[in-house]
Amino acid sequence: MKNRLKVLRAERDWSQAELAGRLDVSRQAVNAIETGKHDPSLPLAFRIARLFDMRIEDIFDDGESA
Amino acid sequence: MKNRLKVLRAERDWSQAELAGRLDVSRQAVNAIETGKHDPSLPLAFRIARLFDMRIEDIFDDGESA
DNA sequence: ACACAAAGTCAGGTGTGCTTGACATAGTCA
DNA sequence: TGACTATGTCAAGCACACCTGACTTTGTGT
């Protein structure tokens, strides 16, 4: 599952630790999602989408055509 | 995490087993999601949204105000 | 009463999302 | 050089998302 977390974070000039704090998860969890090691849980995906005021589908991409 | 799976399924007159087949998961997985015992993984949430041609946020509700 | 389909549930197992704590590396700056 | 920040990574552990297989319950129809 690809995602735009790193870009969205860079646009706001946040560190991984700063983003982790805003999402109430560990810094390692943010890193693992950004580097593609894990997909977030659905509740965490909701928190991420809400934080950036976007839809989940606009942040994450599971690669299926349509 | 609340969801509208049961209603969407009823609108199409599908059994849990039929929906499970279309999502490529077990019947018990569908049942657990409908009865609120589990949240789906993000990839499964994407498959569900795609199957019903809706956004994830229109099917699932994590209860946060905005 | 009987058969059947759908739904719900349980046990036992596997894989993963997330945790804390620790450590390595690279970049910046006094 | 030495201190500090950001990032990446590892290990060990916990909780949960899924699995198969089996069983019970409920509703429908003969």
Side-chain angles (χ1 to χ4, degrees):
Chain A
M1 177 88 65
K2 292 179 181 176
N3 69 75
R4 305 210 305 126
L5 260 195
K6 191 168 186 171
V7 171
L8 294 171
R9 186 168 61 79
E11 287 173 355
R12 286 153 184 80
D13 199 26
W14 291 341
S15 68
Q16 290 182 351
E18 166 103 26
L19 175 56
R22 291 175 184 266
L23 293 172
D24 196 29
V25 294
S26 67
R27 181 183 65 85
Q28 289 87 337
V30 168
N31 184 277
I33 293 168
E34 280 195 5
T35 56
K37 291 187 178 55
H38 291 308
D39 295 326
S41 66
L42 187 54
L44 178 51
F46 265 86
R47 297 208 297 279
I48 292 169
R50 192 118 45 206
L51 178 60
F52 291 113
D53 196 26
M54 299 176 70
R55 290 176 297 168
I56 289 174
E57 288 90 343
D58 290 334
I59 300 177
F60 297 93
D61 174 14
D62 67 345
E64 302 295 327
S65 48
Chain B
M1 176 90 66
K2 292 179 182 177
N3 69 74
R4 306 210 304 126
L5 261 196
K6 192 169 186 170
V7 170
L8 294 171
R9 187 169 61 77
E11 287 173 354
R12 287 154 185 80
D13 199 25
W14 290 342
S15 67
Q16 289 183 350
E18 166 102 25
L19 175 56
R22 290 175 185 267
L23 293 171
D24 197 28
V25 294
S26 68
R27 180 182 66 85
Q28 288 88 339
V30 168
N31 185 274
I33 293 168
E34 281 195 4
T35 56
K37 291 186 178 57
H38 291 309
D39 294 328
S41 66
L42 187 55
L44 178 52
F46 264 86
R47 298 208 298 280
I48 292 170
R50 191 118 47 205
L51 178 60
F52 291 113
D53 197 25
M54 298 176 70
R55 290 176 296 168
I56 290 173
E57 287 89 346
D58 291 334
I59 301 178
F60 298 92
D61 175 15
D62 68 344
E64 301 296 327
S65 48

